[in-house]
Amino acid sequence: MENGKAKKTSSHTKTTPPPSPYGTTLLARLLVVVVGPVVLAVLLFRADRFDPAPIPDHSPWSSRAVPMSNRHILAVSERLGDGLLPGPEDLAYDADEGVIYTGCVDGWIKKVAVAGEEATVTVENWAYVGGRPLGVALGVDKQLIVAESHKGLLRVTREGAVDLLTDEADQVKFRLTDGVDVARNGMIYFTDASYKYNLGEYMLDHLEGRPHGRLMSFDPQTNLTQVLLHDLHFANGLALSPYHDFLVFCETILRRCRKYHIEGERKGSVEDFIDNLPGYPDNIKYDGEGHFWIALPVGRTFRNMLMHYPIVRKAVVILDRFVKVAHVQKGAGVLSVSLEGQAIALYSDPALAMVTGGIKIGRHLYYGSLVQPFIGRLDLTQHAARAA
């Protein structure tokens, strides 16, 4: 006792509060929202059967220097037959009649009169072949040879009658008949861009990165179809040299064109013609003046460079099944190349899409497109390429 009073004492038991449920709930939500989709995506990625391959002999980060260029041609080009030419993919010029033949998405071969270059341009529905005509070339007797993507190699007579020449080689059907040219002796050379994918699936061929393309010949005298080269990466346009001793064909995926010898001591051999192009090549035409003109449907962009990697291409295919992936096709144009494979001049535009064919006629460059409703005409004297 102190001062007569008892001192009161008390004891307190220290207790630990129960764990809050909110931390556990938050962690669970994070696992569901963040980790769950990642795990699901990984499982989908591994389970998906689409198996893209590495692209060989190809540097996505390099591009050939072009000494001359005009990179703003769209605004200064005339639009021939605007609205009457839905997707004029390739161009074949008949100098005697002054007309351009082109195949359009509506299945018609159109005849575009450009005689005199200054005259009023007229467009005629000349022959209906159906499907989607791609490459076109004049034969020795002015019959038109057409690479129709679905049906195969066609011949259109001067009267407009359509005949099927061939649709398979080595018992393998064509899936995407693409480029064509005709030699003086009547031999027809053409490509099947892919024996696996058709035109509507061409991006799958690009993304898979495997060589499904073939270079072939067809002899009208014997009706013999012969495979000259197998295992090409999307074999596209082709053009014969002025002496018809070799031809040049394009491999779109690899951004290159190669030379195939059809006469002489090197007959049957292949060599590089031009590579590391500033875009992805399509049709190629010889102008009779010492130059090939290579159409570039899309320029070389950062997105295209990323497509070099198989993991990126597979991700794009899987994503496209759930959300439609837009494949931006810009920076198209036409590249002028010498007979020796030297780049000379590039005519392009950042806003131009899917230029698939181009040819110089007189002082003008004419170019067609897979998607545009006109043929572009550029005056090369007024809008010449300049030194870079």
Side-chain angles (χ1 to χ4, degrees):
M1 295 182 69
E2 186 177 345
N3 298 330
K5 295 182 180 179
K7 187 176 181 180
K8 296 181 179 180
T9 60
S10 62
S11 62
H12 297 279
T13 303
K14 190 174 182 180
T15 60
T16 302
S20 170
Y22 296 106
T24 305
T25 303
L26 179 60
L27 179 60
R29 288 177 178 174
L30 285 173
L31 288 172
V32 171
V33 173
V34 178
V35 180
V38 172
V39 172
L40 180 61
V42 171
L43 292 174
L44 284 172
F45 190 89
R46 290 188 174 182
D48 196 277
R49 293 184 178 181
F50 186 77
D51 184 26
I55 298 177
D57 304 324
H58 174 59
S59 174
W61 306 101
S62 63
S63 182
R64 179 175 298 274
V66 182
M68 309 282 286
S69 67
N70 179 346
R71 298 179 184 268
H72 299 281
I73 68 172
L74 188 56
V76 293
S77 294
E78 300 174 75
R79 300 188 175 201
L80 307 184
D82 199 358
L84 301 176
L85 296 168
E89 203 265 355
D90 190 22
L91 312 175
Y93 180 57
D94 183 345
D96 295 333
E97 292 190 22
V99 299
I100 291 174
Y101 293 92
T102 185
C104 294
V105 73
D106 58 6
W108 278 92
I109 301 297
K110 313 276 186 172
K111 197 173 181 180
V112 185
V114 293
E117 299 185 346
E118 301 295 342
T120 301
V121 173
T122 60
V123 177
E124 172 191 347
N125 285 344
W126 178 65
Y128 183 75
V129 299
R132 204 335 170 175
L134 297 177
V136 289
L138 284 173
V140 292
D141 53 1
K142 296 297 182 72
Q143 294 181 334
L144 191 72
I145 307 301
V146 180
E148 200 285 311
S149 61
H150 307 290
K151 299 174 184 177
L153 193 66
L154 308 179
R155 176 175 55 206
V156 185
T157 68
R158 295 180 66 85
E159 293 74 32
V162 181
D163 301 316
L164 174 65
L165 297 179
T166 179
D167 62 356
E168 67 175 48
D170 294 345
Q171 298 181 329
V172 177
K173 288 280 189 180
F174 310 153
R175 294 296 300 277
L176 213 172
T177 324
D178 204 333
V180 63
D181 204 356
V182 184
R184 284 188 291 263
N185 62 6
M187 186 70 76
I188 301 170
Y189 297 92
F190 67 104
T191 59
D192 181 22
S194 176
Y195 61 78
K196 182 175 181 179
Y197 296 101
N198 61 33
L199 182 61
E201 304 165 326
Y202 81 94
M203 278 305 300
L204 287 175
D205 191 277
H206 288 198
L207 295 170
E208 184 175 324
R210 284 187 165 79
H212 302 130
R214 296 179 289 175
L215 172 67
M216 290 169 286
S217 65
F218 176 79
D219 187 345
Q221 301 299 319
T222 62
N223 291 331
L224 176 65
T225 305
Q226 182 179 0
V227 179
L228 305 177
L229 293 175
H230 295 86
D231 301 327
L232 303 177
H233 285 80
F234 206 83
N236 211 316
L238 62 89
L240 287 152
S241 70
Y243 301 108
H244 292 201
D245 54 342
F246 69 87
L247 61 81
V248 176
F249 66 91
C250 298
E251 287 182 279
T252 300
I253 298 172
L254 300 184
R255 282 195 298 122
R256 74 180 182 186
C257 298
R258 304 178 77 190
K259 179 190 292 187
Y260 178 82
H261 293 270
I262 56 179
E263 297 291 346
E265 295 181 356
R266 304 189 62 185
K267 182 177 180 179
S269 64
V270 185
E271 63 182 274
D272 292 338
F273 181 69
I274 184 171
D275 58 7
N276 290 328
L277 291 168
Y280 292 79
D282 199 296
N283 286 300
I284 175 171
K285 294 291 184 183
Y286 178 66
D287 64 4
E289 300 176 358
H291 301 94
F292 291 105
W293 294 79
I294 304 172
L296 306 174
V298 58
R300 180 176 159 274
T301 66
F302 183 73
R303 174 190 169 279
N304 295 123
M305 289 185 280
L306 285 179
M307 287 298 184
H308 175 75
Y309 304 100
I311 190 171
V312 175
R313 288 184 269 125
K314 182 167 183 174
V316 169
V317 170
I318 295 173
L319 182 61
D320 193 60
R321 297 195 180 112
F322 301 94
V323 180
K324 194 64 180 176
V325 178
H327 298 283
V328 180
Q329 311 286 0
K330 297 293 183 180
V334 186
L335 177 68
S336 173
V337 178
S338 73
L339 291 175
E340 294 72 36
Q342 297 298 315
I344 296 174
L346 175 63
Y347 298 87
S348 64
D349 197 286
L352 196 55
M354 296 300 285
V355 171
T356 48
I359 182 67
K360 179 179 180 291
I361 304 172
R363 72 171 191 270
H364 291 99
L365 169 63
Y366 293 79
Y367 57 89
S369 165
L370 197 66
V371 297
Q372 301 291 353
F374 60 86
I375 291 175
R377 180 165 71 180
L378 179 72
D379 190 322
L380 296 176
T381 58
Q382 295 182 15
H383 307 289
R386 307 293 181 188

